[in-house]
């Protein structure tokens, strides 16, 4: 029979109670949080889609591993289990545990980047962009043009624009490009996958120009599933074989293991060449920033759970359910005429807030507006992936305009049921009905200099305030 919704390949053994606040309570909570969803208490969110990072449900095997964790400061057996799993799956000579993905970036990027250097990516996510800029380097995005049209349905919209990459390297000078980063899947572009062919072509450009190629591997398993399903020639290959080929084109990888390895904390840094001179520098930075290199800021119990989760995250039945759950939500939105980055990506649905709220200009943050309305409507916490997250130009301080104005519904792994997915869809449908009544967006009243969206304070712009001529022009231009 045809399956509309891929059922969970597991059964539930423990439950966590949820509480739905009243509409009045939700309005008060978001106002008290200065209209920043990061400032909400988790217990005040009925469905929490702020991130899929570290929010998944671990398996009985992982919890059993927690009890077996070896807490030796140096050379714990749990560390060696992680090394064995990492080398088996990725076929890299060196594996370095760290406490999460941004820690891997903090350890690696200062070795390769600095003032006057550039890093090029298919598209940088927020923390990766920040760690590049903290070294003094600058970021350049080269995602394929089709990714910038959310309504256009095409496979592998996370790909690098190879011709643009070549042109950018020629303009900047290869000697000034310290790193190329391939993000799989491409989070900022809507969780869109990267094809094997594209990865191969980018690797050829990197090698020809003597530029190291780093894989931002947070959602490597989901990317491999899309390759297996959608790229000709890979339907009969295993997920592990696809991962091994994909990673063979990189020189190193940084990973938040809080996504596809389904752990609540953890990350990894890998180097393909076991004799690379980078490794001593990586160990030195790890000891300075994270702790001794055999634990990398993680408890032995976390190393143990991570080693197990690396294998659970590449299971075909699990991945079919995982992607199927996201596609079920996308199908509900299709039926309701709600735009999103199509096709649905791996870890969530990126709702096109610009399409739902075309009268809200980028500098009033339509992605954040929709996220706030979603919380007020149904207690669902999500986040902006747009101009609010992108922030200000590092040199001029001017607000940047993002290519997208998304509200990201990032779905935690093995956590929510189909009924929860239906509530997400129904809440968005209700907001769409009243979208025309949302007249204005938000202004920032306080922001920190780096990664502002985690902490900034906002306030609603009163409906009666007239837009300046410049603001009216901005709306018209959109």
């Amino acid at each position: 029979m045809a399956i509309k919704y891929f059922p969970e390949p597991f059964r539930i053994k423990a439950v966590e109670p949820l509480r739905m606040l009243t509409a009045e309570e939700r309005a008060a909570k978001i106002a008290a949080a200065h209209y920043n969803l990061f400032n909400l208490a988790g217990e005040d969110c009925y469905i929490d889609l702020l991130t899929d990072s570290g929010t998944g449900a671990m398996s009985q095997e992982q919890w059993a591993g927690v009890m077996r964790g070896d807490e030796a400061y140096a050379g714990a057996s749990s560390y060696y289990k992680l090394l064995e799993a990492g080398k088996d799956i990725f076929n890299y000579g060196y594996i370095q545990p760290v406490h999460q993905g941004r820690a891997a970036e903090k350890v690696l990027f200062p070795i390769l980047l600095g003032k006057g250097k550039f890093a090029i990516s298919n598209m940088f996510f927020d923390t990766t962009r920040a760690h590049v800029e903290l070294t003094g380097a600058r970021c350049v995005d080269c995602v394929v043009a089709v990714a910038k049209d959310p309504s256009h349905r095409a496979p592998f919209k996370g790909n690098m624009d190879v011709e643009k990459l070549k042109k950018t390297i020629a303009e900047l000078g290869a000697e000034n490009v310290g790193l190329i980063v391939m993000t799989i899947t491409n989070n900022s572009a809507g969780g869109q996958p990267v094809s094997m062919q594209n990865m191969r072509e980018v690797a050829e450009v990197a090698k020809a120009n003597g530029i190291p190629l780093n894989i931002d591997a947070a959602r490597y398993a989901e990317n491999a599933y899309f390759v297996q399903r959608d790229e000709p020639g890979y339907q009969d290959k295993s997920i592990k074989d696809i991962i091994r080929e994909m990673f063979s084109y990189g020189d190193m990888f940084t990973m938040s293991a809080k996504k596809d390895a389904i752990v609540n904390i953890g990350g990894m840094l890998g180097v393909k060449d076991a004799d690379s001179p980078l490794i001593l520098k990586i160990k030195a930075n790890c000891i300075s920033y994270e702790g001794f290199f055999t634990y990398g800021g993680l408890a032995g119990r976390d190393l143990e759970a991570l080693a197990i989760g690396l294998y659970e995250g590449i299971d075909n039945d699990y991945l079919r359910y995982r992607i199927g759950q996201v596609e079920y939500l996308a199908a509900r939105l299709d039926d309701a005429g709600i735009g999103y980055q199509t096709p649905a990506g791996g870890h969530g649905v990126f709702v096109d807030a610009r399409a739902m709220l075309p009268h809200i200009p980028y500098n009033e943050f339509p992605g954040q507006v929709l996220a706030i309305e979603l919380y007020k409507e149904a207690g669902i916490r999500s986040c902006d992936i747009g101009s609010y997250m992108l922030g200000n130009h590092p040199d001029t301080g001017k607000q940047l305009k993002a290519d997208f104005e998304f509200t990201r519904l990032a779905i935690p792994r093995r956590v929510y049921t189909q009924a929860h997915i239906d509530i997400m869809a129904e809440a968005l449908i209700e907001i769409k009905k009243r979208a025309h009544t949302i007249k204005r967006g938000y202004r920032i009243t306080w922001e920190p200099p780096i990664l502002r969206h985690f902490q900034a304070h906002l306030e609603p712009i009163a409906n009666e305030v007239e837009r300046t001529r410049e603001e009216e022009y901005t709306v018209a231009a959109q």
Side-chain angles (χ1 to χ4, degrees), residues 51-223:
T51 180
D52 62 315
S53 180
T55 56
M58 292 205 303
S59 69
Q60 62 182 4
E61 294 304 319
Q62 287 177 294
W63 282 112
V66 166
M67 298 303 296
R68 291 192 297 264
D70 179 358
E71 302 303 339
Y73 182 90
S77 62
S78 300
Y79 164 72
Y80 292 108
K81 289 178 185 176
L82 177 60
L83 288 192
E84 185 179 346
K87 290 179 179 181
D88 177 41
I89 293 171
F90 305 108
N91 199 28
Y92 270 36
Y94 181 74
I95 300 293
Q96 175 62 63
V98 289
H99 84 273
Q100 62 183 71
R102 68 193 65 175
E105 295 163 357
K106 180 180 174 65
V107 167
L108 178 66
F109 287 2
I111 300 171
L112 300 170
L113 297 170
K115 191 169 183 179
K117 292 284 189 179
F118 294 87
I120 305 173
S121 179
N122 51 343
M123 205 161 202
F124 286 99
F125 196 58
D126 56 355
T127 54
T128 313
R129 183 181 299 277
H131 278 105
V132 169
E133 293 176 352
L134 284 168
T135 71
R138 291 291 176 259
C139 296
V140 182
D141 290 328
C142 290
V143 70
V144 288
V146 69
K148 298 180 182 181
D149 181 359
S151 64
H152 183 81
R153 190 175 294 270
F156 301 110
K157 288 171 75 172
N159 281 351
M160 181 86 79
D161 184 329
V162 177
E163 292 307 312
K164 185 177 179 181
L165 172 65
K166 292 176 182 177
K167 183 179 178 182
T168 301
I169 293 171
E171 290 173 350
L172 297 174
E175 69 280 4
N176 297 316
V177 180
L179 195 62
I180 295 173
V181 179
M182 286 293 279
T183 309
I184 59 171
T185 58
N186 192 332
N187 192 359
S188 292
Q192 296 296 302
V194 171
S195 72
M196 193 73 77
Q197 178 65 28
N198 187 247
M199 188 71 186
R200 191 180 301 117
E201 291 173 358
V202 170
E204 289 170 359
V205 174
K207 186 175 181 179
N209 288 277
I211 302 170
L213 176 56
N214 180 63
I215 300 174
D216 180 346
R219 298 173 180 90
Y220 70 98
E222 292 171 5
N223 200 96

Side-chain angles (χ1 to χ4, degrees), residues 471-478:
E471 288 177 317
E472 292 287 3
Y473 176 79
T474 300
V475 176
Q478 288 191 327

Side-chain angles (χ1 to χ4, degrees), residues 42-60:
E43 65 183 7
D44 293 333
C45 304
Y46 179 62
I47 298 175
D48 200 343
L49 309 179
L50 185 67
T51 180
D52 62 315
S53 180
T55 56
M58 292 205 303
S59 69
Q60 62 182 4

Side-chain angles (χ1 to χ4, degrees), residues 146-334:
V146 69
K148 298 180 182 181
D149 181 359
S151 64
H152 183 81
R153 190 175 294 270
F156 301 110
K157 288 171 75 172
N159 281 351
M160 181 86 79
D161 184 329
V162 177
E163 292 307 312
K164 185 177 179 181
L165 172 65
K166 292 176 182 177
K167 183 179 178 182
T168 301
I169 293 171
E171 290 173 350
L172 297 174
E175 69 280 4
N176 297 316
V177 180
L179 195 62
I180 295 173
V181 179
M182 286 293 279
T183 309
I184 59 171
T185 58
N186 192 332
N187 192 359
S188 292
Q192 296 296 302
V194 171
S195 72
M196 193 73 77
Q197 178 65 28
N198 187 247
M199 188 71 186
R200 191 180 301 117
E201 291 173 358
V202 170
E204 289 170 359
V205 174
K207 186 175 181 179
N209 288 277
I211 302 170
L213 176 56
N214 180 63
I215 300 174
D216 180 346
R219 298 173 180 90
Y220 70 98
E222 292 171 5
N223 200 96
Y225 179 81
F226 283 116
V227 169
Q228 184 190 62
R229 192 188 70 180
D230 298 334
E231 189 164 357
Y234 287 91
Q235 282 68 39
D236 296 328
K237 292 185 179 291
S238 71
I239 292 294
K240 189 164 85 168
D241 285 344
I242 292 169
I243 290 167
R244 279 184 158 223
E245 182 182 344
M246 181 72 77
F247 278 71
S248 74
Y249 300 122
D251 297 303
M252 63 209 72
F253 71 81
T254 49
M255 178 194 294
S256 168
K258 296 163 64 177
K259 284 84 167 174
D260 275 358
I262 327 178
V263 289
N264 303 126
I265 194 69
M268 297 169 63
L269 196 167
V271 180
K272 184 165 62 178
D273 180 4
D275 298 318
S276 171
L278 272 178
I279 294 171
L280 281 178
K281 297 176 182 179
I282 287 169
K283 287 182 176 179
N285 278 358
C286 185
I287 291 169
S288 297
Y289 301 142
E290 291 286 282
F292 193 61
F293 66 85
T294 64
Y295 75 89
L298 292 172
R301 61 184 72 96
D302 299 317
L303 295 169
E304 194 89 25
L306 174 50
I308 296 166
L310 284 170
Y311 286 106
E312 293 187 354
I314 64 174
D315 177 76
N316 260 100
D317 289 338
Y318 157 74
L319 286 167
R320 189 178 300 111
Y321 142 75
R322 168 70 176 158
I323 303 303
Q325 190 177 49
V326 175
E327 290 179 340
Y328 174 81
L329 174 57
R332 290 286 320 264
L333 300 189
D334 284 335

Side-chain angles (χ1 to χ4, degrees), residues 8 10 12 14-16 18 46-49 51-52 54-58 262 264 318 321-322 325 411-418 420-421 424:
E8 292 82 354
F10 53 82
I12 297 167
V15 296
E16 177 184 355
L18 297 173
Y46 179 62
I47 298 175
D48 200 343
L49 309 179
T51 180
D52 62 315
T55 56
M58 292 205 303
I262 327 178
N264 303 126
Y318 157 74
Y321 142 75
R322 168 70 176 158
Q325 190 177 49
I411 301 176
R413 292 161 179 81
R414 305 190 294 206
V415 170
Y416 292 116
T417 67
Q418 183 175 355
H420 291 115
I421 301 291
M424 300 170 202

